[in-house]
Each structure stands twice: as C-alpha cells, then as structure tokens.
Amino acid sequence: MLIDRPPKLFQSKELNEYLIIALPYAEINEEIKAFKKEFFQKYGPYAGQNSCGHIPMMSFFQTDDREQKVIHCVEQVLASVKSFEVFLSGFEFDSLQRAVYIDILNKESLCDVYHQLRLSLFRELVSLAFLNKTFRPMMKIGHQLTPLQFLNAVGDNKARAYTNNFRLSRLHILKRKAPYTSWEQLTAIPFARSENELMGMY
C-alpha cells in the first residue's frame, strides 16, 4: 500500500511543472493539426487548439534541484521497456471534460508504462496528489469546449473514421516555470530497443 507523504520540500523552493508526453510521427501530427484547424474554423476558439498532437502521460510539480532525479527516474523505467506500436482508431468524446479525442486501441501498453512511472516517481518524492491512480491514454483534439461546441463536435464526428499507428520509441519531458504559461522541452528519453529495431527494421 502506498502512503502519500507531505511535500515538505515544496515549502521554500521554487517549483517547476513537468509534463511527460508521447509524440507521434510528424505526418500524424500534421493530421492532428489539420483536425484542430478544422474544429477552430467550425466551432471557434477552444482549449488545446494550438498544441501539437500528443498523448499526455502525466504532469506534476517538483523543485528545480530534483530535476535530474526526475530524469534519472524516467530513464530507469524506460530502460526496461521495449518500444511498441501505438494504434489510433476513431473519434471519441468525454462529456465530463467536454473533450474530443482520438482513441487508442492498445491502451494497456501505455497504461503499463504509466503505472511503472507513477510508482518510480512516487519513490522520488513526487506527491501522489499529482499522480492519478487511473490513466486513460488518448490523443486530444480539444477539451473544455463550450456545451454548444461539444454538442456540434459530437454530431459532426461521432461516425467519423480515422486509423493510424506509430512506433513509440521515446517519451518527452517538458517543463515550465511560474507563472506556468508556456512549455519548453527538457529532454527526450528512449525506450529499450526492440529486437526489430536492433535488426534495423525500424
């Protein structure tokens, strides 16, 4: 059983926010950006309209002096996980967040990585308050839509087909400092290479 610890190290030090994401191939990102542009043209401005296509894994706050520990923690986890394919399939909707997203067929693969990262980061004093017990991988088109935007998006896209896939071979860590307005890339950390990659098939 995991017992959360009070974040004592947060009391007198500057905090950074960290975000771990999975990025698709460039051509898939261009398709996601085209969907976002289409949504903007149809429904008007919305949250997430300018972000690149990505799968958010987790975000959390940590003090700057512990940044290298966070990086090392992620490196240790990914060093034991082989790269794998991510299969995208169709438009889905979340009425609570009023979100539209591209669904992922093999959620278990990403969830396994998430839970390994969650446990490892907790051991490095990242509070469980930042690390949700549940995780649903998705590639968002938009979220926090207005009720009307959401209803129109569902009506226009509920039967819309979309399939694609990409090999996930690394995770990216982003960071931002107060006032937490814009992200900068901190580093990209590779997974262990699969047998096919070692043979030069990817």
Side-chain angles (χ1 to χ4, degrees):
M1 178 180 178
L2 297 178
I3 301 175
D4 204 1
R5 297 178 285 256
K8 294 180 181 178
L9 72 166
F10 292 176
Q11 291 177 356
S12 61
K13 297 180 180 179
E14 184 176 343
L15 289 176
N16 295 329
E17 185 177 7
Y18 295 89
L19 173 65
I20 302 177
I21 63 174
L23 292 177
Y25 297 148
E27 54 266 33
I28 295 177
N29 182 43
E30 289 303 313
E31 292 176 348
I32 300 300
K33 287 166 66 176
F35 291 144
K36 290 172 178 277
K37 182 177 179 180
E38 176 190 328
F39 272 50
F40 172 76
Q41 291 171 340
K42 281 187 175 181
Y43 315 125
Y46 63 91
Q49 66 185 38
N50 296 318
S51 64
C52 66
H54 68 281
I55 301 169
M57 299 291 290
M58 60 179 60
S59 63
F60 52 88
F61 289 88
Q62 191 62 282
T63 53
D64 193 65
D65 62 309
R66 299 189 63 80
E67 183 171 284
Q68 290 305 312
K69 285 186 174 290
V70 168
I71 293 172
H72 181 65
C73 174
V74 178
E75 287 174 338
Q76 284 189 309
V77 170
L78 299 192
S80 63
V81 180
K82 291 182 179 178
S83 60
F84 54 88
E85 293 289 323
V86 175
F87 297 93
L88 308 174
S89 180
F91 285 72
E92 293 292 342
F93 310 91
D94 182 336
S95 58
L96 293 178
Q97 297 185 55
R98 294 197 299 273
V100 181
Y101 60 92
I102 302 296
D103 198 18
I104 296 169
L105 290 182
N106 57 324
K107 297 177 180 66
E108 296 81 6
S109 298
L110 284 159
C111 287
D112 286 346
V113 175
Y114 174 87
H115 289 298
Q116 289 184 60
L117 287 171
R118 179 177 182 268
L119 179 59
S120 186
L121 286 166
F122 171 73
R123 288 172 177 159
E124 290 297 333
L125 299 181
V126 175
S127 172
L128 285 181
F130 301 133
L131 305 173
N132 294 329
K133 184 179 291 186
T134 59
F135 170 61
R136 181 180 177 86
M138 62 181 66
M139 189 171 290
K140 288 182 181 177
I141 302 299
H143 62 281
Q144 298 176 356
L145 302 176
T146 67
L148 181 58
Q149 284 177 322
F150 183 71
L151 286 174
N152 288 334
V154 171
D156 292 342
N157 298 280
K158 61 183 177 182
R160 187 173 187 173
Y162 176 76
T163 58
N164 215 324
N165 66 282
F166 65 95
R167 190 160 196 85
L168 184 60
S169 59
R170 67 191 69 244
L171 292 181
H172 297 257
I173 303 179
L174 312 183
K175 67 180 284 188
R176 60 183 179 182
K177 299 177 180 290
Y180 310 116
T181 54
S182 60
W183 294 101
E184 62 181 79
Q185 172 142 327
L186 177 60
T187 188
I189 299 175
F191 286 77
R193 297 176 70 185
S194 68
E195 291 179 7
N196 286 339
E197 288 175 307
L198 291 171
M199 293 171 63
M201 298 175 66
Y202 289 104

